[in-house]
Amino acid sequence: MIAKASYLIISFSLWLYITISHQHHSQQRNKEGFNFNINVTQKMQNNTLHNTHVKLLAFDLLSLTQTSPDSFSRRGIPLSRAELLGTVTLRDLNPNRFLRFAIDDGTACVPCILWLNHLTSPYLARRRSPQDVRLIADAAARAAALVKVGVVARVRGRVSRYRGKVQITVSDVVVERDPNAEVFHWIECVYLARKCYNVLPTPPRPHSSFLVSG
C-alpha cells in the first residue's frame, strides 16, 4: 500500500512538473515571438500545411503516404516538410557529397540526409549566384559539424523517399541544450496531432436552392 501511494505521488509530481514546465516553456516561446501552435491551427483551417515544417514523432512520419514525387499526406492532409527532435544514433559522412545520419526519438528511427555538394552542383550553378551557393554550402557545413552521435538535435527538412523508405532531406539542424527539450517536443507533437493534424477540414456545405412558387 505504501509503495503504491509513493508511486502515485511520484506520478502526480512528474505530471505536475511537466505541465508547469510546459506552460513556462510556452510562455517563454511566446515572449520570443514563437507562436507555432496558433499558426498551425490557422493554417489547418485553410488546409495549407504543405509548406509548413510539421512537428511529428518519428513513427508518425514514417507512416506518411506519398501522393506525388514531392508531396506526402497524413490522413488526407498534404504536407511536404517536417520537424523532428531526437538523439543522433548514426553518422555516415561522405566528404563534399553528403552526410547521412539517423534521429531516434523513442518511437522510431528516421534516416536523414544533408547534402554537402553545393559547390559542385550544376543544378544550383544554373539557378543561384556564386555568392548564394557559397552561403548555402557554408551553412550545410556548419550543420554537418553539429551532427554527432549521442547529441540531441532538432532537424527540419523536406520529406522524401529513398529506396522505398521515408527520410528527411535536411535544411536545418539545431543541437538542443535544454534537458527537457525532448519532453516538450513530445507534448507539442501529441497536442498538435489531437487538436490540429487529426482534425480533418470540414467540407463546405452545398448551397441549397429554393423554388418559390407564386
Side-chain angles (χ1 to χ4, degrees), residues 2-22:
I2 295 176
K4 183 176 181 181
S6 299
Y7 172 78
L8 292 175
I9 291 172
I10 293 173
S11 298
F12 176 75
S13 300
L14 179 60
W15 172 83
L16 185 62
Y17 168 76
I18 292 174
T19 302
I20 294 173
S21 299
H22 180 57

Side-chain angles (χ1 to χ4, degrees), residues 106-181:
T107 67
C109 195
V110 177
C112 303
I113 183 167
L114 174 63
W115 291 105
L116 303 172
N117 62 342
H118 306 92
L119 296 178
T120 58
S121 169
Y123 177 86
L124 286 178
R126 291 193 301 266
R127 291 167 173 80
R128 297 293 187 94
S129 67
Q131 294 82 1
D132 287 346
V133 173
R134 170 59 67 178
L135 289 174
I136 295 172
D138 290 345
R142 289 194 298 270
L146 295 174
V147 178
K148 298 178 181 178
V149 174
V151 303
V152 176
R154 186 181 300 273
V155 175
R156 284 185 170 188
R158 180 171 52 83
V159 184
S160 55
R161 187 178 292 275
Y162 178 69
R163 293 182 177 177
K165 295 182 179 181
V166 174
Q167 68 174 9
I168 292 292
T169 301
V170 179
S171 59
D172 185 38
V173 177
V174 176
V175 173
E176 288 289 350
R177 308 297 182 186
D178 185 351
N180 298 315

Side-chain angles (χ1 to χ4, degrees):
M1 182 64 70
I2 295 176
K4 183 176 181 181
S6 299
Y7 172 78
L8 292 175
I9 291 172
I10 293 173
S11 298
F12 176 75
S13 300
L14 179 60
W15 172 83
L16 185 62
Y17 168 76
I18 292 174
T19 302
I20 294 173
S21 299
H22 180 57
Q23 289 175 350
H24 175 72
H25 181 70
S26 299
Q27 290 171 358
Q28 288 298 112
R29 293 189 65 182
N30 289 337
K31 288 179 182 178
E32 296 170 1
F34 295 103
N35 210 353
F36 179 82
N37 294 348
I38 293 177
N39 291 337
V40 169
T41 303
Q42 292 173 344
K43 289 185 177 184
M44 280 296 302
Q45 294 174 353
N46 299 321
N47 196 20
T48 56
L49 281 181
H50 185 72
N51 292 319
T52 301
H53 286 97
V54 180
K55 292 188 177 184
L56 293 173
L57 294 175
F59 83 96
D60 210 358
L61 176 68
L62 296 178
S63 64
L64 295 178
T65 301
Q66 188 168 12
T67 56
S68 71
D70 299 320
S71 182
F72 291 74
S73 70
R74 183 187 184 280
R75 297 197 175 192
I77 299 173
L79 56 89
S80 61
R81 293 171 173 82
E83 177 179 322
L84 296 172
L85 191 150
T87 303
V88 177
T89 58
L90 173 70
R91 188 180 192 273
D92 179 18
L93 176 64
N94 191 325
N96 299 319
R97 294 191 62 191
F98 59 80
L99 169 66
R100 289 193 181 277
F101 61 99
I103 292 289
D104 187 346
D105 69 358
T107 67
C109 195
V110 177
C112 303
I113 183 167
L114 174 63
W115 291 105
L116 303 172
N117 62 342
H118 306 92
L119 296 178
T120 58
S121 169
Y123 177 86
L124 286 178
R126 291 193 301 266
R127 291 167 173 80
R128 297 293 187 94
S129 67
Q131 294 82 1
D132 287 346
V133 173
R134 170 59 67 178
L135 289 174
I136 295 172
D138 290 345
R142 289 194 298 270
L146 295 174
V147 178
K148 298 178 181 178
V149 174
V151 303
V152 176
R154 186 181 300 273
V155 175
R156 284 185 170 188
R158 180 171 52 83
V159 184
S160 55
R161 187 178 292 275
Y162 178 69
R163 293 182 177 177
K165 295 182 179 181
V166 174
Q167 68 174 9
I168 292 292
T169 301
V170 179
S171 59
D172 185 38
V173 177
V174 176
V175 173
E176 288 289 350
R177 308 297 182 186
D178 185 351
N180 298 315
E182 290 182 277
V183 175
F184 293 144
H185 180 73
W186 270 62
I187 293 173
E188 287 182 317
C189 288
V190 172
Y191 173 83
L192 288 169
R194 292 180 60 186
K195 299 296 183 179
C196 300
Y197 308 152
N198 292 349
V199 181
L200 294 178
T202 303
R205 295 182 179 181
H207 295 287
S208 300
S209 57
F210 296 92
L211 295 178
V212 180
S213 56

